[in-house]
Each structure stands twice: as C-alpha cells, then as structure tokens.
Amino acid sequence: MPSFPQHLLEGYRTFTSQRLPTEQSRYRELSERGQAPEVMVIGCCDSRVSPEVIFDAGPGELFVVRNVANLVPVYAPDGGVHGVSAALEYAVQVLRVKHIVVLGHAQCGGIRAFIDNVAPLSPGDFVGKWMSLFIKPGEKVGQRAHETMQDFTTRIEKAAVFRSLENLMTFPCVQILVERDRLHLHGAYFGVAEGSLSVLDQAAKEFRSVRELIG
Ligand SMILES: [Zn+2]
C-alpha cells in the first residue's frame, strides 16, 4: 500500500501545532452549533486558486464548491444527479447564505481546453462534456479580429463568471431570494501571477481591481 504523502502529514503537524491552538475554540463552537457561513464561493479546482487563502478565511466562514472552470449549470430538475446544484440548494435553503461569489481566474486549464477544443482526455470526455455547459445552444465563441490570444482567453475566463451568474438565476430558490434582496450574487476574478483580485461591477458589466476599492 502506498504511504500517505509525507508532506501532508507534516502539514497536518504544523496545523496542529500552530493554527489549531488559536482556532480550537472556534472549531469546537462550530462543532456544537453547526456551520453558519454567510458566503458561498463557487471556484475552480485549480490548486493556485484557493478561496480560503485568497479571502484569508477561517473555519466556518466559506461554503465552497470547486469544479473545473467554476461553472454553474442551468437549473435542470430532470432526474439527473447534479453536484453543484445540490451544494447550491443546501447553501441557499439550509444555510441561508447571504452572498454567492463566483470566482474565476487567469490561466484556467478548463477554459484553455475549451478554447483549444482539445481531444477527449479519456473515453468519457468528462472535461469536454463539462465545459459544454458553458455554451448556450447555437452559441459560437471565437477569437475576435485584432484580439490577442491572451486577451481572448481572459475574456472567456471572465465570460465563464458571467455565465455562471446568469445560470444561478435560473434556480427558482436563488431568483426569489435575489429579488427579495436577501441573497446577493457576485463575480470575481483572480490573477494568479500577481495575486490580484478584481470584482464584477454588475451595472457596468466590468471587472474592477479590488486595489482601487480598498485603497
Ligand atoms: Zn480554472
């Protein structure tokens, strides 16, 4: 049997000696009272884009779903099995989160695979099928004239955030609470190289650097 990765065991040892002592009471309280996060984050699986790290969040603060390219499917009560929809249903109906943040990012492998229209990675073509969620029937996505590949990729990475926000509103439980001002949807985009964060100004349909907002 392969051994459990040593660096994970060492990481856990560091956690128990450094972080746990300062957060033990918080963990115990969360264990007794249950979790009550106010924020749900829908992010990418990408190992560089950890919501808890980016938002400096402690235990119990963020309810996180991560999948390839931070996608939310459209509401589909079709008898199928839907992981993101299950997490969303729980966050909204049980935890009553007040905010849902869709967190996109630069150099997204899922978006890259979509743009390059890569061949199936396995007979299941799970990434290909998953990324097809991003496209509406009949919609075409292509590089614009005079648009660099870098700009095109960034535009599509941000478009994935817009699409997920749009798809969130197809869930009746989300739509009702948003209309009652009890649930707020947000978009954000993380620049991996600089550690930069932009948030979506929904009225202007533009991402704005957080550095401008926090000064
Ligand atoms: Zn990604």
Side-chain angles (χ1 to χ4, degrees):
M1 180 180 141
S3 60
F4 198 80
Q6 187 62 29
H7 68 283
L8 295 186
L9 296 175
E10 284 162 12
Y12 178 68
R13 189 184 304 137
T14 304
F15 165 75
T16 54
S17 64
Q18 295 180 10
R19 190 163 175 173
L20 188 59
T22 62
E23 293 188 317
Q24 181 64 77
S25 60
R26 177 81 178 131
Y27 272 110
R28 213 173 292 285
E29 184 191 320
L30 286 167
S31 166
E32 286 162 8
R33 293 194 191 169
Q35 61 169 334
E38 293 195 350
V39 178
M40 176 183 194
V41 179
I42 298 166
C44 183
C45 297
D46 194 300
S47 60
R48 302 164 295 182
V49 192
S50 170
E52 292 87 346
V53 172
I54 294 168
F55 297 115
D56 192 28
E61 284 185 42
L62 302 178
F63 187 77
V64 177
V65 174
R66 295 175 72 171
N67 62 48
V68 173
N70 38 267
L71 296 182
V72 176
V74 289
Y75 176 69
D78 56 5
V81 179
H82 302 281
V84 178
S85 307
L88 180 63
E89 181 182 62
Y90 189 77
V92 171
Q93 302 289 68
V94 177
L95 299 175
R96 301 272 171 195
V97 295
K98 295 190 175 84
H99 303 274
I100 299 176
V101 176
V102 177
L103 177 62
H105 72 100
Q107 289 109 41
C108 182
I111 297 294
R112 189 76 225 183
F114 169 76
I115 285 175
D116 293 345
N117 197 19
V118 294
L121 302 176
S122 79
D125 189 23
F126 296 109
V127 169
K129 286 179 191 156
W130 176 251
M131 290 309 299
S132 70
L133 281 178
F134 175 54
I135 292 297
K136 286 180 177 173
E139 189 177 49
K140 291 229 178 341
V141 175
Q143 193 170 356
R144 293 171 181 159
H146 310 301
E147 187 177 43
T148 65
M149 184 46 102
Q150 167 82 58
D151 288 346
F152 174 48
T153 305
T154 302
R155 177 166 66 83
I156 300 306
E157 285 163 350
K158 290 179 175 175
V161 176
F162 281 106
R163 179 55 45 84
S164 288
L165 290 170
E166 196 179 312
N167 288 351
L168 277 171
M169 287 295 279
T170 65
F171 286 77
C173 60
V174 171
Q175 191 192 349
I176 288 167
L177 291 172
V178 167
E179 284 169 359
R180 289 179 186 167
D181 214 25
R182 283 166 47 194
L183 176 64
H184 305 276
L185 308 185
H186 313 273
Y189 180 83
F190 183 67
V192 174
E194 302 82 19
S196 58
L197 186 73
S198 302
V199 294
L200 180 61
D201 177 338
Q202 302 207 40
K205 294 193 181 299
E206 280 178 15
F207 284 83
R208 300 198 189 286
S209 167
V210 167
R211 289 204 178 108
E212 290 167 24
L213 301 175
I214 60 177

